[in-house]
């Protein structure tokens, strides 16, 4: 597990963000366990998915509650909205239950990309 480093000097000089190497002395650096996934990333990713005409047919976003920081905590539903929901089985998946679990946000993004995708398996 190699930590990630964000170097202010490297970002200014080469427009490079988080990576796994250190290059400059006398620099201000930030360390992370894995690649950060911000609330802005979440909002942008969900906005992009919902802007896709095919994905938006099977996906909706609601605000479940607000976090202590004032951010929206989203409930994302993926289903065939045209069918009867009375006797459907459901799977509930959560991510980012604790603040440091950025890797679970990346996993949820991958899951949503997959299950809302155009492959035959995703449609089934």
């Amino acid at each position: 597990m190699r930590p990630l480093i964000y170097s202010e000097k490297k970002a200014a000089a080469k427009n490079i963000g988080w990576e796994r190497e250190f290059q400059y002395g006398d620099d201000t650096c930030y360390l992370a366990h894995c690649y950060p996934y911000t609330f802005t990333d979440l909002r942008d990713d969900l906005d992009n998915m919902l802007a896709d005409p095919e994905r938006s047919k099977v996906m909706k976003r609601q605000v479940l509650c607000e976090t202590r920081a004032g951010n929206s905590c989203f409930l994302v539903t993926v289903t065939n909205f045209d069918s009867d929901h009375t006797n459907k089985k459901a799977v509930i998946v959560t991510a980012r239950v604790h603040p440091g679990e950025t890797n679970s946000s990346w996993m949820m993004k991958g899951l949503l990309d997959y299950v809302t995708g155009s492959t035959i398996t995703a449609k089934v």
Side-chain angles (χ1 to χ4, degrees), residues 12-33:
K14 299 180 180 177
N15 198 28
I16 294 176
W18 292 94
E19 62 178 5
R20 297 193 189 275
E21 67 179 51
F22 182 75
Q23 189 171 7
Y24 298 100
D26 192 30
D27 191 4
T28 299
C29 295
Y30 305 91
L31 299 173
H33 177 261

Side-chain angles (χ1 to χ4, degrees), residues 38-122:
T38 65
F39 182 70
T40 302
D41 293 331
L42 171 65
R43 269 195 342 243
D44 291 348
D45 287 341
L46 290 175
D47 287 347
N48 289 335
M49 287 180 194
L50 290 165
D52 180 315
E54 289 304 308
R55 290 180 195 270
S56 65
K57 290 178 185 175
V58 297
M59 179 180 181
K60 76 175 180 180
R61 169 182 53 191
Q62 299 169 275
V63 175
L64 180 64
C65 60
E66 299 294 322
T67 68
R68 295 183 95 185
N71 295 326
S72 296
C73 181
F74 298 118
L75 169 65
V76 178
T77 304
V78 177
T79 190
N80 177 356
F81 292 104
D82 295 332
S83 70
D84 179 22
H85 292 76
T86 308
N87 294 316
K88 273 190 174 181
K89 291 183 180 180
V91 175
I92 298 171
V93 182
T94 63
R96 200 67 177 261
V97 176
H98 303 99
E101 297 174 342
T102 56
N103 49 350
S104 68
S105 293
W106 289 108
M107 294 297 293
M108 182 61 79
K109 179 186 180 315
L111 176 69
L112 289 174
D113 281 341
Y114 177 74
V115 299
T116 63
S118 60
T119 66
I120 297 298
T121 308

